[in-house]
Amino acid sequence: MTAKLIDGKAAALALRGRIAEEVSRFRQSTGRAPGLAVVLVGEHPPSAAYVRSKVKATVEAGMESVEHRLPSTVSQDELVALIDQLNADPAVDGILVQLPLPPQVDERVIITRISPDKDVDGFHPVNAGRLAIGLHGFVPCTPLGCLILLQQELGDLSGLDAIVVGRSNIVGKPMALLLLQASCTVTIAHSRTRDLPAAVRRADIVVAAVGRPELIRGDWLKPGSTVIDVGQERVEQPDGTRKLLGDVAFDEAAEVAGAITPVPGGVGPMTIACLIRNTFVSAASREAFAYDKGL
Ligand code: NAP
């Protein structure tokens, strides 16, 4: 392996430490802790695991975390009523509804019901619009975490050629907008892109958010490029165990890239750290509390 390993776990720990210091000052100044409400519907085991780690990280940063568990049979009206109650609760600074939701509930109705000022996931159309036109707002946690890793690795990104493979609303599109804001020349690739290897080969920065394990091969990469692998899929191995794989064939890519994130230990920990960050920033804005804007 010749590429430098981008240690997302260490970067996330450092960010969480800085937020914990700010939270401590916030608590002293306002007499309350920033609060995150997490809504989990049904028994989907991966969702329950994500929620556990988000709640744990929130509490470790000195914030309050209130979990609302609802059965998979919950009606859309009941969920809307809970969101309204959380929107009105002054102790709640951030609301996170863990996706996916059961089929009787329209995700778009729930996402748009959350107050844009408590939308710490950054999925509300108002926050998506703010990002698109460069206004201050909540940015989705995974792309924000990727941007922080890229800036820590490369410094100023302006003028670099970047490709984002994947155009989902929660990762690909906001990632592309963040890179554009950082003055990269951005290509957005997707399942209909012609000659994806050639497009990837032109890029100084590759962000892979596809959900197709090891789609991106080592010989697709420009030598020295920086590779951020968002993908995380559990894939059954010949011995029956399940391994977490990214969208990039890591061993091959690490021989060509200049720097690369591992899976696990790359983007995943930064997603959680950015959720904590967004919750703190929400609390700080709501209380007009001055904080380190470099967070
Ligand atoms: P998604 O909504 O399924 O979107 C996948 C995107 O990949 C789509 O835009 C799709 O194109 C594109 N795509 C599919 N096959 C392709 C191919 N062969 N060539 C080029 N593009 C292709 O997925 P997502 O929610 O963005 O998540 C992507 C991955 O990131 C998943 O593995 C997910 O688990 C992971 N993830 C990780 C974190 C984290 O914290 N680490 C957070 C979120 C997601 P079309 O639009 O044309 O269909």
Side-chain angles (χ1 to χ4, degrees), residues 58-76:
T58 317
V59 172
E60 281 173 7
M63 305 190 197
E64 296 284 344
S65 192
V66 181
E67 223 180 305
H68 298 265
R69 284 178 175 259
L70 301 170
S72 59
T73 52
V74 71
S75 71
Q76 183 166 296

Side-chain angles (χ1 to χ4, degrees), residues 164-180:
V164 180
V165 189
R167 56 173 165 181
S168 70
N169 289 337
I170 62 170
V171 190
K173 281 181 201 154
M175 185 75 244
L177 287 167
L178 286 171
L179 290 166
L180 188 61

Side-chain angles (χ1 to χ4, degrees), residues 142 165-168 170-171 190-191 196 209-212 215 230-233 267-268 271:
T142 300
V165 189
R167 56 173 165 181
S168 70
I170 62 170
V171 190
H190 45 77
S191 65
L196 183 61
V210 190
R212 299 268 184 280
L215 171 79
V230 181
Q232 44 177 23
E233 301 292 325
V267 173
T271 297

Side-chain angles (χ1 to χ4, degrees), residues 117 142 163 232 282:
D117 296 333
T142 300
I163 187 165
Q232 44 177 23
S282 175

